């Protein structure tokens, strides 16, 4: 690598940037060849559709196409202004943020804790079994999970039977606006905790075992070893994953909410993505929902950048 | 036609997965043989293409089939926008290619008015439903439960309260009454019960003028009753999280004594209890304010509502063939085939009346008789004039359906078309609808006190409900002027 770099520097003095690339291509053409499919993939499926955001500033009608549809009023910002002044603006934004914060606070540490605990298991067979058991929910389709949740939450369902053992009155849980977020976040943890712990387990496996031995000799107990060796060892992984999670704060997925919410729980369950789904696909206001999603993406982008900047200042770990 | 014509259509083709007994007699296979037109099915086989989500994706794709199953009435801007924006073509100039439909429309003034735009253009091959039997959903009770508690079929709200209370107290039913909560807000679905208050959701005609249900004084009383029932445990505790199947299974198992049911599901409940001699279902007439009054409101499907109809898209190359193919559905031969399936296979004449055989009526390999009919025909879900939608029901179920009917044609808002000036106003309705649904739900569950009713209505007004009603009224006036 360093050798290549120095040659490149040498070349740079003789020719322009284009010449650089030509030389490099001459040398490494198989690598470029392998890169072409990836490049095409990104152009076709990630960059070309981006042109479609123009829809957010137009009154899109499929028959006229994206370019043929007329621009909206207010210099193209009509849909944005409609969204900001609509009565559901405050609600969908705050619901989205609250659910995301719950997911960050309770959902993010869960797989880390699970990974730490699995790592402490000494019986390999038991450890493997536990891992498999905790991955399993990840493979159940969301539709099935929601069907099960709906049944369990009925007033004569499993959850009410359990709370009934402690003397609680049965309630129809999915009809309680106050319980929706807890049901959503807790079931989300149940679904993804095991799967998400894999990456942490892999990071833990990379820690030098000599460190543990040395610490044990110095008389550090288990908790001390976790605190001073394991956690610092996987700090980088945790920070990177946290930054990536920050980029999703404004985008709580719609599938599970669509399957679980009802008229009674709209007030706490309606989030940006479900609102966009209803507006865009059910009511066919394609442009309006594009505008909402564009607004959403801009905020997400800003969040990732600031999380990245903060992390760079505090821990020297950054995504980009 | 000679078989060289191919037309594409966004219909559901299940010919590869139908039960063994249907093989060779599947409707979409036979219709191709009979008309000599080869059909190419586009779209996902698992979903009805007319659901707004699927249809909205089809429109956005920009690639339209020759024959488009669509409900343009619910489309933003209505059928006029569909014609003007260039999705579909106006059919009037091709009328020589569809003589059967032309004849039907010429003979029936009402239909001829309903199926056209305000400008008088014909834009699809319509599903023309019955003009008499317009209610397909109604309130049913267990007759044997009524006998046990010694009460008659309720006619007024007070009698309903008495019956449900008796069901709860004397029979210990977990959910004396159950229904799908979304039906509270589905057009006219629960009207049979709210009839006593002279209201229903959402828009209907009162003294020839368009009104919005919740703005009427009676609507608050109706919600008050539901709130009262819910708090006393007379309604299903899980009212807002149960789905259609749960409602049906609760009524079939006897966990619920009263339910709102579609005719098809009434038959299913009765058949599920074939070996239970006690199980007996009775229908309740729409409620009245004073005993002895004539029931007024009920569930109602407009004879033509835009659904299940087929238009010809602007991308269709062979308009003549498309017209002739679709006209077959309305011809005497085609109507008989679509309604009953193939003669000799699924039915035959008995005393001059087409009568189904056991392949349809008692077939253990299909979910129910209606499901069996959907394999062999398109009797109420395609571009045809419905001539028989209920002969596959048992006689007692047909009697129940007759009880569901009331005087709703005086109140039902007809199938109108909105014009493009009204698009922005009508877009407000979706948000207002959401707001009304969740607020009324909160009232019923007791999460919001009924003292806040007036502020609920004034919020709906500040959101523009009066503009929506005005737009609806204007569209209605244009309809009358057609």
């Amino acid at each position: 690598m360093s050798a290549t770099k120095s040659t490149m520097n040498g070349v740079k003095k003789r020719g322009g940037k284009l010449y650089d690339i030509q030389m490099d291509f001459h040398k490494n053409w198989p690598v470029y060849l392998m890169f072409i499919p990836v490049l095409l993939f990104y152009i076709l499926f990630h960059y070309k559709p981006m042109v479609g955001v123009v829809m957010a500033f137009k009154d899109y009608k499929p028959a006229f196409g994206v370019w043929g549809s007329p621009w909206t009023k207010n210099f193209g910002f009509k849909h944005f202004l409609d969204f900001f002044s609509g009565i559901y603006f405050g609600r969908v934004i705050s619901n989205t943020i609250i659910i995301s914060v719950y997911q960050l606070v309770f959902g993010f540490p869960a797989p880390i804790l699970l990974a730490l605990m699995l790592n402490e298991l000494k019986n390999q067979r038991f450890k493997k079994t536990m891992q498999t058991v905790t991955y399993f929910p990840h493979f159940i389709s969301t539709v099935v999970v929601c069907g099960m949740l709906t049944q369990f939450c009925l007033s004569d369902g499993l959850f009410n039977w359990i709370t009934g053992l402690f003397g609680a009155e049965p309630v129809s849980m999915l009809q309680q606006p106050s319980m929706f977020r807890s049901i959503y976040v807790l079931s989300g943890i149940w679904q993804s905790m095991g799967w998400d712990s894999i990456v942490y387990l892999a990071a833990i496996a990379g820690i030098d075992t000599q460190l543990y031995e040395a610490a044990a000799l110095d008389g550090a107990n288990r908790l001390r070893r976790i605190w001073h060796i394991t956690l610092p060892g996987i700090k980088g992984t945790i920070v990177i994953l946290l930054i990536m999670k920050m980029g999703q704060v404004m985008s709580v997925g719609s599938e599970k909410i669509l399957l679980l919410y009802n008229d009674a729980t709209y007030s706490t369950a309606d989030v940006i993505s479900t609102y966009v789904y209803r507006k865009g696909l059910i009511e066919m206001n394609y442009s309006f929902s594009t505008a909402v999603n564009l607004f959403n993406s801009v905020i997400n982008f800003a969040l990732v950048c600031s999380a990245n900047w903060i992390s760079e200042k505090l821990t020297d770990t950054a995504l980009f | 036609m000679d078989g060289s014509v191919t037309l594409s259509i966004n219909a559901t083709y299940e010919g590869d997965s139908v039960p063994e007994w249907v093989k060779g007699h599947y409707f979409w296979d036979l219709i191709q043989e009979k008309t000599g037109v080869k059909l190419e099915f586009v779209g996902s086989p698992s979903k009805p293409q007319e659901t707004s989500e699927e249809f909205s994706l089809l429109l956005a794709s920009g690639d339209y089939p020759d024959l488009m199953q669509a409900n343009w009435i619910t489309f933003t801007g209505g059928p006029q926008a569909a014609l003007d924006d260039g999705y579909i073509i106006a059919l009037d100039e091709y009328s020589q290619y569809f003589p059967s439909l032309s004849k039907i429309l010429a003979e029936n003034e009402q239909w001829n008015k309903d199926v056209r735009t305000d400008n008088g253009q014909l834009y699809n091959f319509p599903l023309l439903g019955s003009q008499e039997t317009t209610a397909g959903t109604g309130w049913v009770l267990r007759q044997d439960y009524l006998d046990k508690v010694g009460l008659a079929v309720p006619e007024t709200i007070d009698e309903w309260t008495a019956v449900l209370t008796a069901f709860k107290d004397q029979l210990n039913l977990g959910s004396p009454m159950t229904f799908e909560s979304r039906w509270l807000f589905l057009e006219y679905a629960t009207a049979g019960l709210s009839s006593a208050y002279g209201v229903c959701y959402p828009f209907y005609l009162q003294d020839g003028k368009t009104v919005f249900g919740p703005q009427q004084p009676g609507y608050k009383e109706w919600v008050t009753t539901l709130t009262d029932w819910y708090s006393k445990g007379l309604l299903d505790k899980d009212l807002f999280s149960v789905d259609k199947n749960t409602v049906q299974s609760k009524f079939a198992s006897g966990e619920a004594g009263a339910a709102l049911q579609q005719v098809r599901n009434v038959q299913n409940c009765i058949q599920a209890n074939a070996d239970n001699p006690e199980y007996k279902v009775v229908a309740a007439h729409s409620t009245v304010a004073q005993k002895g009054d004539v029931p007024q409101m009920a569930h109602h499907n407009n004879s033509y509502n835009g659904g299940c109809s087929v238009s010809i898209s602007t991308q269709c190359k062979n308009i003549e063939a498309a017209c002739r193919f679709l006209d077959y559905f309305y011809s005497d031969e085609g109507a008989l085939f679509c309604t009953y399936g193939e003669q000799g296979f699924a039915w035959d004449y008995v005393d001059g009346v087409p009568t189904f055989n056991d392949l349809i009526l008692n077939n253990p390999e299909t979910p129910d008789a209606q499901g069996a009919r959907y394999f062999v025909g398109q009797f109420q879900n395609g571009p045809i004039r419905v001539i028989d939608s209920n002969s596959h029901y048992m006689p007692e179920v047909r009697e129940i359906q007759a009880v569901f009917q009331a005087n709703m044609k005086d109140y039902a808002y007809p199938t109108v078309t909105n014009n493009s000036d009204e698009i922005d106003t009508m877009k407000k309705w979706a948000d207002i609808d959401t707001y009304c649904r969740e607020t009324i739900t909160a009232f019923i569950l007791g999460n919001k006190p009924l003292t806040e009713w007036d502020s609920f209505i004034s919020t709906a007004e500040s959101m523009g409900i009066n503009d929506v009603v005005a737009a609806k009224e204007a569209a209605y006036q244009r309809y009358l002027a057609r």
Side-chain angles (χ1 to χ4, degrees):
Chain A
M1 197 59 197
S2 63
T4 325
K5 214 165 194 176
S6 64
T7 352
M8 293 297 293
N9 286 341
V11 170
K12 206 172 216 166
K13 275 164 201 156
R14 278 186 273 131
K17 256 194 181 141
L18 195 69
Y19 187 69
D20 273 10
I21 296 171
Q22 274 177 354
M23 285 301 286
D24 192 44
F25 181 77
H26 196 67
K27 245 183 160 154
N28 298 321
W29 65 267
V31 181
Y32 281 92
L33 204 65
M34 281 162 68
F35 179 62
I36 286 174
V38 181
L39 186 70
L40 281 180
F41 173 81
Y42 272 92
I43 290 174
L44 283 179
F45 296 108
H46 289 242
Y47 281 81
K48 188 172 157 259
M50 266 197 232
V51 179
V53 299
V54 182
M55 270 169 66
F57 306 94
K58 292 190 154 203
D59 264 327
Y60 174 68
K61 285 183 178 167
F64 300 153
V66 172
W67 299 108
S69 300
W71 297 94
T72 60
K73 283 181 281 185
N74 299 323
F75 308 103
F77 283 91
K78 174 173 176 289
H79 297 302
F80 293 91
L81 297 174
D82 281 355
F83 176 53
F84 299 146
S85 61
I87 66 153
Y88 293 119
F89 173 69
R91 190 173 84 177
V92 295
I93 297 278
S94 68
N95 280 342
T96 310
I97 293 177
I98 292 173
I99 290 184
S100 276
V101 168
Y102 278 12
Q103 279 178 328
L104 272 183
V105 172
F106 300 103
F108 186 71
I112 303 177
L113 285 173
L114 181 71
L116 292 178
M117 290 197 284
L118 284 173
N119 187 48
E120 295 304 316
L121 290 175
K122 291 292 168 256
N123 181 331
Q124 282 305 310
R125 174 168 289 191
F126 183 61
K127 184 179 167 183
K128 284 262 149 26
T129 316
M130 280 313 292
Q131 271 181 280
T132 316
V133 168
T134 51
Y135 297 166
F136 191 67
H138 173 81
F139 297 102
I140 306 179
S141 130
T142 308
V143 181
V144 177
V145 170
C146 291
M148 285 159 57
L149 280 174
T150 313
Q151 290 298 319
F152 292 165
C153 289
L154 289 180
S155 60
D156 52 0
L158 176 73
F159 295 154
N160 271 305
W161 179 78
I162 295 173
T163 54
L165 294 180
F166 300 96
E169 280 289 310
V171 283
S172 189
M173 296 181 174
L174 281 178
Q175 278 170 218
Q176 304 297 322
S178 57
M179 297 175 90
F180 183 85
R181 290 171 186 145
S182 312
I183 295 172
Y184 180 82
V185 172
L186 285 175
S187 61
I189 293 176
W190 175 79
Q191 274 180 285
S192 61
M193 181 167 68
W195 186 256
D196 291 351
S197 70
I198 295 178
V199 63
Y200 296 110
L201 281 170
I204 291 172
I207 299 173
D208 190 350
T209 45
Q210 288 184 14
L211 290 171
Y212 289 104
E213 284 159 22
L217 281 180
D218 287 345
N221 64 17
R222 272 193 177 196
L223 285 178
R224 285 275 150 212
R225 273 178 275 162
I226 291 177
W227 188 250
H228 291 291
I229 300 170
T230 319
L231 277 177
I234 60 172
K235 190 181 74 179
T237 315
I238 296 179
V239 170
I240 296 283
L241 285 176
L242 186 64
I243 296 174
M244 285 164 72
K245 278 262 189 279
M246 290 303 289
Q248 297 162 4
V249 163
M250 295 295 278
S251 38
V252 173
S254 58
E255 306 90 354
K256 232 176 101 184
I257 295 192
L258 284 176
L259 288 164
L260 289 177
Y261 77 171
N262 55 47
D263 289 337
T265 48
Y266 270 173
S267 57
T268 53
D270 198 15
V271 295
I272 297 177
S273 59
T274 50
Y275 185 67
V276 166
Y277 166 83
R278 287 207 309 273
K279 286 286 161 190
L281 280 178
I282 303 293
E283 294 165 29
M284 299 196 203
N285 295 338
Y286 305 98
S287 289
F288 181 81
S289 53
T290 311
V292 176
N293 250 347
L294 182 62
F295 161 79
N296 206 0
S297 307
V298 169
I299 296 200
N300 273 337
F301 185 66
L303 283 171
V304 178
C305 288
S306 38
N308 195 53
W309 181 77
I310 293 171
S311 148
E312 202 172 3
K313 291 281 169 251
L314 294 180
T315 67
D316 285 337
T317 314
L319 195 56
F320 48 85
Chain B
M1 275 163 267
D2 58 5
S4 61
V5 180
T6 302
L7 296 169
S8 55
I9 182 170
N10 59 331
T12 308
Y13 180 81
E14 291 174 320
D16 305 320
S17 59
V18 293
E20 206 52 42
W21 67 268
V22 189
K23 294 252 161 80
H25 304 276
Y26 180 56
F27 174 79
W28 286 110
D29 288 333
L30 286 185
I31 193 90
Q32 298 184 50
E33 272 176 35
K34 288 192 188 284
T35 57
V37 169
K38 208 174 146 5
L39 293 175
E40 186 190 325
F41 297 89
V42 298
S44 79
S46 57
K47 281 187 186 162
Q49 272 65 29
E50 222 180 293
T51 60
S52 45
E53 185 183 342
E54 194 85 350
F55 184 63
S56 146
L57 289 171
L58 178 76
L59 282 192
S61 77
D63 198 7
Y64 313 132
D66 298 329
L67 311 177
M68 266 175 118
Q69 279 203 61
N71 187 344
W72 295 108
I73 295 293
T74 56
F75 179 70
T76 315
Q80 196 63 53
L83 291 168
D84 295 346
D85 293 357
Y87 298 106
I88 56 171
I89 58 166
L91 300 168
D92 302 273
E93 57 180 295
Y94 305 101
S95 60
Q96 72 270 27
Y97 303 136
F98 49 90
S100 307
L101 175 62
S102 304
K103 185 158 166 276
I104 290 173
L105 293 183
E107 283 167 1
N108 190 310
E109 204 183 323
Q110 181 70 41
W111 277 334
N112 200 25
K113 189 171 166 180
D114 285 351
V115 300
R116 291 172 187 276
T117 64
D118 291 333
N119 297 341
Q121 282 171 300
L122 188 66
Y123 55 93
N124 66 12
F125 287 79
L127 167 67
L128 302 167
S130 164
Q131 289 176 323
E132 288 82 39
T133 311
T134 53
T137 298
W139 295 91
V140 288
L141 299 106
R142 287 282 297 274
Q143 178 66 57
D144 46 322
Y145 284 2
L146 284 172
D147 294 343
K148 272 186 204 160
V149 298
L151 289 169
V153 179
E155 293 171 32
T156 64
I157 293 292
D158 286 343
E159 287 181 2
W160 266 101
T161 312
V163 165
L164 296 177
T165 311
F167 280 180
K168 182 177 167 60
D169 294 345
Q170 298 177 34
L171 304 178
N172 282 322
L173 296 189
S175 342
M177 175 190 269
T178 188
F179 56 91
E180 251 190 296
S181 63
R182 63 183 184 91
W183 288 344
L184 283 171
F185 310 107
L186 200 66
E187 194 172 63
Y188 310 149
T190 49
L193 202 55
S194 59
S195 171
Y197 301 109
V199 294
C200 53
Y201 195 88
F203 302 97
Y204 57 95
L205 300 173
Q206 185 90 55
D207 306 323
K209 277 217 147 356
T210 315
V211 295
F212 178 55
Q215 279 182 308
Q216 306 309 306
Y219 208 89
K220 188 184 173 187
E221 293 175 51
W222 158 237
V223 174
T224 309
T225 302
L226 289 173
T227 309
D228 182 48
W229 284 358
Y230 188 82
S231 70
K232 288 181 179 151
L234 303 183
L235 297 182
D236 192 336
K237 265 207 194 66
D238 298 307
L239 195 61
F240 292 89
S241 36
V242 293
D243 60 8
K244 199 197 285 185
N245 294 337
T246 320
V247 168
Q248 192 184 321
S249 76
K250 282 190 177 185
F251 191 68
S253 71
E255 206 179 318
L260 182 63
Q261 291 274 42
Q262 289 165 309
V263 182
R264 178 182 187 176
N265 293 339
V266 174
Q267 167 134 329
N268 288 343
C269 285
I270 294 176
Q271 282 178 340
N273 282 284
D275 49 1
N276 177 359
E278 278 193 358
Y279 194 93
K280 215 169 163 326
V281 179
V282 64
H285 280 287
S286 294
T287 56
V288 290
Q290 298 292 329
K291 234 172 139 55
D293 287 357
V294 179
Q296 292 294 315
M297 292 183 166
H299 173 242
H300 183 90
N301 290 315
N302 281 332
S303 166
Y304 169 74
N305 65 16
C308 296
S309 304
V310 178
S311 296
I312 297 180
S313 82
T314 45
Q315 295 176 4
C316 178
K317 295 275 186 309
N318 194 341
I319 295 171
E320 184 188 340
C323 288
R324 288 195 191 282
F325 170 73
L326 290 169
D327 195 52
Y328 174 79
F329 287 73
Y330 300 91
S331 66
D332 290 342
E333 180 202 334
L336 207 58
F337 166 66
C338 294
T339 305
Y340 297 106
E342 212 182 353
Q343 188 177 0
F345 174 69
W347 64 281
D348 232 318
Y349 285 108
V350 174
D351 303 330
V353 181
T355 308
F356 287 115
N357 57 30
D358 274 355
L359 218 44
I360 301 294
L361 298 182
N362 284 309
N363 193 331
E365 284 168 62
T366 55
D368 60 4
Q370 185 146 332
R373 277 191 78 172
Y374 281 140
F375 285 128
V376 300
Q378 288 268 302
F379 67 101
Q380 59 175 12
N381 53 351
I384 68 162
R385 174 176 51 167
V386 174
I387 50 178
D388 169 11
S389 61
N390 59 8
S391 71
H392 58 286
Y393 293 134
M394 298 186 275
E396 56 199 285
V397 176
R398 269 178 266 165
E399 277 167 32
I400 284 173
Q401 187 177 16
V403 175
F404 288 166
Q405 316 301 320
N407 195 22
M408 195 60 190
K409 62 180 186 305
D410 289 357
Y411 300 93
Y413 186 78
T415 302
V416 304
T417 50
N418 284 105
N419 60 27
S420 48
D421 301 339
E422 290 158 356
I423 290 179
D424 276 339
T425 311
M426 294 313 292
K427 273 184 185 167
K428 289 183 194 165
W429 165 239
D431 278 347
I432 300 173
D433 187 30
T434 310
Y435 175 70
C436 290
R437 293 167 56 141
E438 61 178 293
T439 313
I440 292 171
T441 301
F443 282 129
I444 296 172
L445 288 173
N447 294 343
K448 207 183 209 351
L450 279 160
T451 47
E452 285 180 36
W453 183 267
D454 291 342
S455 80
F456 155 57
I457 295 295
S458 58
T459 307
E461 279 166 3
S462 73
M463 290 171 77
I465 186 62
N466 290 333
D467 300 341
V468 177
V469 174
K472 286 257 176 192
E473 175 65 19
Y476 175 55
Q477 291 301 334
R478 284 198 307 273
Y479 167 83
L480 291 179
R482 276 181 200 170

